[in-house]
Amino acid sequence: MYPLRRNRRLRTTETIRSLVRETIITPNDFLVPLFVVEGKGIKEEITSMPNYYRLSLDNLSKEVRELWSLGLKSILLFVKVDDKLKDNKGTEALNPNGLMQRAIKTVKDACPQMLVMTDVALDPFSVYGHDGIIHDGEILNDETNAVLAEMSLSHAKAGADFVAPSDMMDGRIFEIRTLLEDEGFHNTGIMSYSAKYASAFYGPFRDALDSAPVDLKDIPKDKKTYQMDPANRQEAIRETLMDIDEGADIVMVKPGLCYLDIVRDIANAVTVPVAVYQVSGEYAMLKAAAEKGWLNHDAVMMEQVTAIKRAGASIIASYFAKDVVKIIS
């Protein structure tokens, strides 16, 4: 008790603070999202995500080499496809020479040791901007799962180390795992977006990929029939445990900061690694506030990623990864 016990003794200098620090951020914590587009020589800044870019394959190659040199060893690929290639069934997603498939090969050619995860969802390929096939105004679950499984197989054949289904269809992990096993891809992992909420924080990401749901009659205006209600907590644990039973190797909570209670609940409930996606809206808010001079960018950024790891995340998917690593190196 006080005065025999003075907690401030462990805070008196940076040396002692660092010695007893409970949560340490390292480059190994991060999964770097990358946006890929067709063309050559393209490094196009995303308006709503300052200092983040869409990259053509040649610049993707340069980017992954730079990431590796910084100690960042894992990436998560997303592709922006031309509108003329979009339909209601994600047909282009299965093209063995599609942009995603070529992006995977580009990364592996440039940096064979880089761990490649790939987004598996229909929204970048959907004329409606939804994660599933639509019929009579309904997002079809089982029919969508069949396409997601084939998409995952296509990514595995192209060289992906992990597929990352982000769609929130029921049972899709089982369908994907079963097909991968049947085709001999026993070592291709699955990182499931297990607790993905119908969040308002995804806006800049949808700008980056031009994948927002379209505003048409008889088409759902949002993704609330398949993404989770932000008000729910226990449901996240049920969803996650089901995904693990179906074969998920890593589970994810998305978004990050508003859902740290969910991260802790899931980390306490499971024995597989837990990933957190620090999403585009979280990135954009800090960038905007820092530009206004209202917040110290680097201090808040470090506080945020530390909070995510402290909550129980084994992996942090973050647009801040390069900025963080440059500070801590």
Side-chain angles (χ1 to χ4, degrees), residues 140-294:
L140 301 181
N141 192 92
D142 296 358
E143 292 84 349
T144 297
N145 282 346
V147 179
L148 297 174
E150 292 291 344
M151 189 189 310
S152 298
L153 178 61
S154 177
H155 294 182
K157 288 180 177 179
D161 300 292
F162 275 74
V163 294
S166 62
D167 55 286
M168 290 298 289
M169 298 296 118
D170 291 332
R172 88 275 203 212
I173 303 303
F174 178 77
E175 294 293 330
I176 292 169
R177 186 73 266 162
T178 299
L179 184 58
L180 290 174
E181 292 296 318
D182 288 347
E183 294 293 328
F185 288 92
H186 311 298
N187 293 324
T188 302
I190 300 176
M191 180 179 71
S192 174
Y193 289 58
S194 296
K196 182 178 181 179
Y197 285 84
S199 172
F201 283 91
Y202 301 150
F205 175 93
R206 291 171 181 169
D207 291 343
L209 294 186
D210 189 23
S211 62
V214 298
D215 187 7
L216 293 174
K217 184 181 179 181
D218 299 327
I219 300 297
K221 303 299 188 294
D222 54 46
K223 301 187 177 185
K224 293 180 180 179
T225 66
Y226 47 101
Q227 294 179 357
M228 285 180 53
D229 186 339
N232 290 358
R233 183 176 182 179
Q234 295 298 323
E235 183 183 14
I237 299 175
R238 292 199 303 271
E239 287 274 5
T240 302
L241 292 176
M242 288 175 67
D243 283 356
I244 294 170
D245 285 344
E246 292 175 17
D249 302 285
I250 301 170
V251 295
M252 178 187 279
V253 177
K254 184 180 180 183
L257 292 177
C258 288
Y259 297 86
L260 295 185
D261 59 324
I262 308 301
V263 178
R264 174 43 57 191
D265 285 345
I266 290 175
N268 287 343
V270 307
T271 56
V272 302
V274 177
V276 171
Y277 203 137
Q278 187 181 26
V279 299
S280 59
E282 297 170 80
Y283 177 88
M285 285 195 303
L286 178 51
K287 290 294 185 184
E291 184 180 344
K292 290 285 188 180
W294 295 340

Side-chain angles (χ1 to χ4, degrees), residues 279-306:
V279 299
S280 59
E282 297 170 80
Y283 177 88
M285 285 195 303
L286 178 51
K287 290 294 185 184
E291 184 180 344
K292 290 285 188 180
W294 295 340
L295 291 175
N296 180 318
H297 178 278
D298 290 352
V300 173
M301 174 183 70
M302 293 304 301
E303 189 173 342
Q304 288 181 348
V305 296
T306 300

Side-chain angles (χ1 to χ4, degrees), residues 11 26 81 109 149 205 282 296 319:
R11 304 174 194 153
T26 80
V81 301
D109 286 344
F205 175 93
E282 297 170 80
N296 180 318
Y319 305 104

Side-chain angles (χ1 to χ4, degrees), residues 3-109:
L4 300 180
R5 173 65 65 189
R6 292 179 181 266
N7 292 328
R8 288 182 59 191
R9 293 186 191 119
L10 300 181
R11 304 174 194 153
T12 52
T13 67
E14 175 57 24
T15 301
I16 186 61
R17 290 192 297 271
S18 62
L19 184 66
V20 300
R21 188 162 290 142
E22 299 172 30
T23 305
I24 308 296
I25 300 296
T26 80
N28 292 328
D29 294 320
F30 290 99
L31 175 63
V32 184
L34 295 175
F35 300 117
V36 186
V37 294
E38 293 282 12
K40 190 173 182 179
I42 296 173
K43 186 176 181 180
E44 179 182 37
E45 187 173 32
I46 301 160
T47 304
S48 53
M49 297 178 66
N51 204 36
Y52 223 82
Y53 301 89
R54 303 180 190 93
L55 303 171
S56 54
L57 294 177
D58 53 332
N59 280 322
L60 174 65
S61 181
K62 296 175 184 177
E63 181 70 12
V64 296
R65 289 191 182 99
E66 180 184 354
L67 293 174
W68 188 264
S69 73
L70 293 170
L72 292 162
K73 304 171 185 175
S74 305
I75 62 168
L76 177 58
L77 291 176
F78 299 89
V79 295
K80 182 181 184 296
V81 301
D82 194 285
D83 285 348
K84 69 177 181 292
L85 298 175
K86 297 180 180 182
D87 59 22
N88 186 34
K89 295 184 177 181
T91 304
E92 177 60 19
L94 307 184
N95 180 356
N97 197 39
L99 182 57
M100 176 64 85
Q101 290 78 0
R102 284 180 284 126
I104 296 165
K105 294 172 184 176
T106 295
V107 173
K108 286 299 187 180
D109 286 344

